[in-house]
Amino acid sequence: MNKFLGYLIVLALALAAPLVIYPVFLMKLLCFALFASAFNLILGYGGLLSFGHAAFFGGAAYISGHALKVWGLPTELGILVGALSAGVLGLAIGTLAIRRQGIYFAMITLAMAQMAYFVFISSPFTGGENGLQGVPRGTALGLIDLTNDRAMYYFVLAICLAGFLLIARAVHSPFGQVLSAIRDNEDRARSLGYDIERYKLLAFVLSATLAGLAGATKTVVFQLASLTDAHWHMSGEVVLMTLLGGLGTIAGPAVGAGIIVTLQNYLASGPLAAWVPVVLGVIFVTCVLSFRRGVVGELREFLRRSF
């Protein structure tokens, strides 16, 4: 009951947020919260550290932007095409990488993401270093004008809530329980008869698809897809967001994304603009040394001990 009440309060705050906070900033925060939550699905619950998730985020951004601008697809279908393309790319990369563990898995995903990055930088349809500009927002369901920032915010909120619910459902399903068992003790899970590689691949593809959903939605919000979305720095940022918020928690990655996006937004326009990476690095080191469970994990542990 208390948890349900908490969800209602969060939903009410999300619905009221654009009345007091700039909607475009909120939409950026939501997109990165979904991206971090998708990444947490494989790292926090599957124990797989990927340094290639920028390929799914950026790849979906380009595909979705191209589908909307050149093919003239409806906004919803364009975003869906971007997300599905990320899922297909995730299937291809996951099939190659999933049989490796630890640093070998991480390096394969990084290498494949860098290959995708060079494809994006050299392909004519991406616009190269200029990016894919002028992506139309269009309308939602053919009725709601998404050029209005507030209407666009509620459209993005609906997409991200659907993504969060899918992640929560997956985590608490039998599939999620098996995935956690594989993370804790892979040999024991294998001895119980589970097809380890199949479960890992399914989790990887689902994570890639949701990361693509976040990237495609961000493209519609900013009407732009750029190389920044596919750069390896983006893969590093999502790792930072997840660890800062709380690895293996539902709300942690969203909280971590909120902290990082807020710091980037406000520090970029101040005297510390050139020092933003340094500030984020200090925060990361402090989190690793002092808050091993992340913000949400430490808060949950504090409440458990107190009550």
Side-chain angles (χ1 to χ4, degrees):
M1 184 64 181
N2 290 336
K3 185 180 292 188
F4 180 72
L5 181 60
Y7 290 148
L8 287 179
I9 293 173
V10 171
L11 179 60
L13 291 173
L15 292 173
L19 302 176
V20 293
I21 303 175
Y22 186 42
V24 175
F25 168 73
L26 290 172
M27 288 186 278
K28 180 180 180 181
L29 194 155
L30 283 171
C31 291
F32 278 102
L34 178 58
F35 183 29
S37 296
F39 178 77
N40 183 54
L41 183 62
I42 62 163
L43 179 59
Y45 295 98
L48 299 171
L49 175 59
S50 167
F51 282 127
H53 261 53
F56 313 131
F57 188 76
Y62 279 120
I63 297 297
S64 181
H66 185 78
L68 292 170
K69 183 179 180 179
V70 179
W71 299 343
L73 295 182
T75 304
E76 305 91 333
L77 188 56
I79 292 175
L80 182 61
V81 167
L84 291 177
S85 68
V88 172
L89 182 59
L91 178 61
I93 294 177
T95 301
L96 293 173
I98 213 70
R99 295 182 183 278
R100 298 294 179 264
Q101 296 179 344
I103 191 64
Y104 302 105
F105 175 85
M107 289 299 100
I108 291 174
T109 57
L110 176 60
M112 298 301 292
Q114 286 301 99
M115 290 175 59
Y117 176 82
F118 286 113
V119 169
F120 298 145
I121 200 173
S122 59
S123 298
F125 84 95
T126 64
E129 294 183 355
N130 295 321
L132 185 61
Q133 304 178 30
V135 177
R137 284 188 176 181
T139 59
L141 303 176
L143 299 172
I144 304 170
D145 183 12
L146 297 179
T147 57
N148 180 286
D149 283 344
R150 191 167 295 177
M152 185 71 205
Y153 168 78
Y154 289 115
F155 178 70
V156 172
L157 179 62
I159 291 174
C160 291
L161 282 177
F164 294 142
L165 288 174
L166 178 58
I167 292 171
R169 181 69 187 91
V171 166
H172 293 105
S173 68
F175 167 76
Q177 300 304 311
V178 173
L179 198 62
S180 296
I182 294 172
R183 175 200 62 197
D184 295 337
N185 194 321
E186 184 172 323
D187 291 335
R188 181 173 295 178
R190 192 186 301 274
S191 69
L192 292 174
Y194 292 111
D195 189 340
I196 304 301
E197 283 72 27
R198 185 169 68 91
Y199 276 95
K200 286 183 177 180
L201 184 59
L202 284 173
F204 192 82
V205 171
L206 178 58
S207 177
T209 303
L210 290 169
L213 179 63
T217 305
K218 178 177 174 288
T219 292
V220 177
V221 171
F222 291 97
Q223 300 181 271
L224 169 71
S226 69
L227 287 172
T228 304
D229 298 330
H231 199 270
W232 68 267
H233 286 171
M234 187 64 71
S235 294
E237 279 189 20
V238 76
V239 174
L240 174 58
M241 292 173 185
T242 306
L243 293 178
L244 179 60
L247 194 64
T249 62
I250 295 295
V255 172
I259 294 172
I260 297 300
V261 171
T262 301
L263 286 173
Q264 289 176 336
N265 185 70
Y266 286 100
L267 291 178
S269 57
L272 295 176
W275 293 85
V276 171
V278 176
V279 173
L280 295 180
V282 170
I283 291 173
F284 178 72
V285 172
T286 303
C287 176
V288 170
L289 294 178
S290 304
F291 306 100
R292 301 296 296 273
R293 300 183 183 89
V295 174
V296 172
E298 292 292 344
L299 180 60
R300 187 170 63 181
E301 182 65 17
F302 173 77
L303 293 175
R304 187 185 68 82
R305 291 179 178 178
S306 300
F307 302 99

